[in-house]
Amino acid sequence: MAGRPVDHQRRAELLDAVVDYTVEHGFSDLSWRPVAAALGVSTTTLVHRFGTKEQMLVAILARLRERIFAATSETLGEHPDLATAARAAWTRTSAPQREAEFRLFFAVYGRALQAPEQFAGFLDRVVADWMNALRDAQGPGTDPQTATRTATLVIATIRGLLLDLLATGDRERVQDAAETFLATLPRRP
Amino acid sequence: MAGRPVDHQRRAELLDAVVDYTVEHGFSDLSWRPVAAALGVSTTTLVHRFGTKEQMLVAILARLRERIFAATSETLGEHPDLATAARAAWTRTSAPQREAEFRLFFAVYGRALQAPEQFAGFLDRVVADWMNALRDAQGPGTDPQTATRTATLVIATIRGLLLDLLATGDRERVQDAAETFLATLPRRP
DNA sequence: ACATTTATAGTACGACCGTACAAAGAATGG
DNA sequence: CCATTCTTTGTACGGTCGTACTATAAATGT
C-alpha cells in the first residue's frame, strides 16, 4: 500500500546547500540551472523538492532568518542588562565572518520591502525575533512600553550601523559610533 | 560638417520617467520592454539613450540618490543645532509620501551590497552625502572626530528606524523610538 | 540643397529562463 | 515477488531577455 517514504532530510540538506550558494553568489538573479550545477544535481531534483522558484525563494528566506537569528540569539539571554546584551548582539552581527551572510540578508530584506505580499511574514518575523529577545534582556520590572521603545531603538541602530559598515567598510568609524550608542544604554537595573 | 546635435535633455526626461516607473514597479526584474511600453517608446530608444542595461541601472541609482538627497538636504542646513536638524531629517524621510521612494532605495542599496563592483561609488556616496550635511549641522567648534561619530550614529539610527517602519508599518512604535533617540542629541552648542 | 549626424522604430537572433513531461532506478509494505 | 510511491534524470516547449542590425525621419552646418 504505502510506497517509498518522503525524505524530508534530503530537502533540508539541499536547502542548506542552496542557501550557501546564495550567500556566495547573490540573490538577485538566482536560477535553477546554475544552482543545480553547483550542487551536482539536476534542476529537476530542485524542482521536485521546492515546487516552484518562488517557493524556493521563500524557503531560502526562512532558512536564512533561522540561521541569522540562531547565531545571535544564543548569546542574547545570558546577559544581566541591556547594555551588555546589545553589545554582544553588535559584536556578533559585525563580525567579519558573517559579512557575506548579512549582505545577503539586506539584499533579501530590500527586495521583500518592494514585494511585501510575495514574502509575507518575513519582514514582521525578522523584527519580532529581535524584539522578543531584546525585551527579555531588559529587567522584568521594566515598563512594557519603555522596553518596546528601547528594543526598537537598539535593533534599528545596530541594523543601521551594520548597513554603514557593509557599505563603506570603515570599521573604525562605525565601531566608534557603536561605542557611543552602547554607552547610552542602561547598565544595571 | 556637424549633424544633428545630441539631445541631452531628452535623456534626462527619459531617465526621470524610468526612475518613476522603477519606484512603482520595483527594481529586481526590470527589463527594457515593459519600461519602454509604459513610456510609450520603443526599446531601441532606451538602448540608444542608455547604452546597456547595466548602464541604465547605474543611471537610475545616481538619479535616485540625487532625488532623495535633494529632498532632504534642502532643509538640513537651516537648523541651529544637531537635534533639530536630525528631527527634520527624520520627519522628511519618514513621511508617507516618500515611502515608495525609500522602498526602492533600500532595494537598490541591498543589491549594491551584493554587487559592490557593479555599483561602485554608490554606497560610499550615499553615506558621504549625509555625513557632510550632518557634520555641518553641528557647530563649527565641534571636535571633528566627535562630529563624525555623531553624524554616523544619526544616519545609522534614522536609516534603521526607517527600515523598521517600512517593514512593519507600525508608525506609532517607531516614532516613539525616534523621539527617544532625538531627545539624546545636543540641543544647543 | 546637401552631406552628416542623431532619433526612433521594427525586426531578428541566440541565450537563458521556469517548468511540464516521460522514463528509469530505489525503497517501502504486503 | 509485486504493487506503489518517491527520487532522479534528460529532454523539450514556450516565453522573455539583452542587444545587434537595418531603415526611415528629423535636425543641423555649409
Side-chain angles (χ1 to χ4, degrees):
Chain A
M1 201 74 102
R4 183 173 178 173
V6 178
D7 191 348
H8 296 96
Q9 190 181 344
R10 173 68 171 150
R11 192 199 128 110
E13 282 177 20
L14 283 176
L15 178 54
D16 265 312
V18 169
V19 171
D20 287 339
Y21 179 92
T22 311
V23 167
E24 264 206 36
H25 295 80
F27 176 77
S28 53
D29 47 0
L30 199 67
S31 63
W32 293 119
R33 275 171 255 252
V35 176
L39 302 201
V41 298
S42 72
T43 71
T44 319
T45 298
L46 296 180
V47 174
H48 175 61
R49 296 297 177 176
F50 299 106
T52 67
K53 190 187 169 183
E54 177 168 337
Q55 287 176 308
M56 184 178 75
L57 293 183
V58 171
I60 292 176
L61 261 62
R63 189 73 189 93
L64 182 67
R65 183 178 68 84
E66 275 181 24
R67 277 199 198 180
I68 287 181
F69 183 62
T72 49
S73 72
E74 64 183 28
T75 63
L76 224 55
E78 310 166 0
H79 298 282
D81 52 31
L82 183 64
T84 50
R87 174 175 296 276
W90 168 249
T91 305
R92 278 271 189 169
T93 54
S94 67
Q97 299 88 12
R98 304 201 191 281
E99 186 180 311
E101 220 168 38
F102 276 104
R103 283 186 191 276
L104 173 58
F105 171 78
F106 282 116
V108 167
Y109 206 87
R111 174 140 161 188
L113 282 177
Q114 281 213 309
E117 77 290 347
Q118 189 179 5
F119 304 124
F122 173 73
L123 297 172
D124 296 328
R125 259 178 232 214
V126 164
V127 175
D129 283 344
W130 291 79
M131 281 289 291
N132 293 333
L134 281 173
R135 261 204 294 246
D136 294 348
Q138 307 180 58
T142 317
D143 170 46
Q145 190 174 355
T146 304
T148 299
R149 175 168 40 216
T150 310
T152 300
L153 185 56
V154 169
I155 295 167
T157 306
I158 287 181
R159 207 162 278 172
L161 287 171
L162 186 58
L163 214 48
D164 188 338
L165 179 62
L166 292 176
T168 66
D170 190 346
R171 187 169 287 273
E172 191 180 358
R173 176 176 55 82
V174 175
Q175 182 64 35
D176 193 25
E179 295 291 348
T180 305
F181 171 69
L182 291 172
T184 68
L185 295 178
R187 192 153 281 269
R188 270 261 152 200
Chain B
M1 199 77 99
R4 182 173 177 172
V6 178
D7 191 347
H8 295 97
Q9 189 181 344
R10 174 67 171 149
R11 192 198 127 108
E13 283 176 21
L14 283 176
L15 178 55
D16 265 312
V18 169
V19 172
D20 288 339
Y21 178 92
T22 310
V23 167
E24 265 206 35
H25 294 80
F27 176 76
S28 53
D29 47 2
L30 199 66
S31 63
W32 293 121
R33 276 172 255 254
V35 176
L39 302 200
V41 298
S42 72
T43 72
T44 318
T45 298
L46 295 180
V47 175
H48 176 60
R49 297 296 178 177
F50 298 106
T52 68
K53 190 189 169 183
E54 178 169 336
Q55 288 177 306
M56 184 177 77
L57 293 183
V58 171
I60 291 176
L61 262 62
R63 188 74 189 92
L64 183 67
R65 185 177 66 87
E66 275 182 24
R67 277 199 196 180
I68 287 181
F69 183 63
T72 48
S73 71
E74 64 183 25
T75 63
L76 224 55
E78 311 166 1
H79 297 282
D81 53 31
L82 184 63
T84 49
R87 174 174 294 276
W90 167 248
T91 304
R92 278 271 189 168
T93 54
S94 67
Q97 300 86 13
R98 302 202 192 281
E99 185 180 313
E101 220 168 38
F102 276 103
R103 282 186 193 275
L104 173 58
F105 171 78
F106 282 115
V108 166
Y109 206 86
R111 173 140 160 187
L113 282 177
Q114 280 213 310
E117 77 290 347
Q118 188 178 5
F119 305 124
F122 173 72
L123 297 172
D124 295 328
R125 260 178 230 214
V126 164
V127 175
D129 283 345
W130 291 79
M131 281 290 291
N132 293 332
L134 281 174
R135 263 203 292 247
D136 294 349
Q138 306 179 59
T142 316
D143 170 46
Q145 191 174 353
T146 304
T148 299
R149 175 170 37 216
T150 311
T152 300
L153 185 56
V154 170
I155 295 168
T157 306
I158 287 181
R159 207 161 278 171
L161 288 170
L162 186 58
L163 215 46
D164 188 339
L165 179 61
L166 293 176
T168 65
D170 190 347
R171 186 170 288 275
E172 191 180 358
R173 176 176 56 84
V174 175
Q175 182 65 34
D176 193 25
E179 295 290 349
T180 305
F181 172 68
L182 291 172
T184 68
L185 296 177
R187 193 154 279 269
R188 272 260 155 204

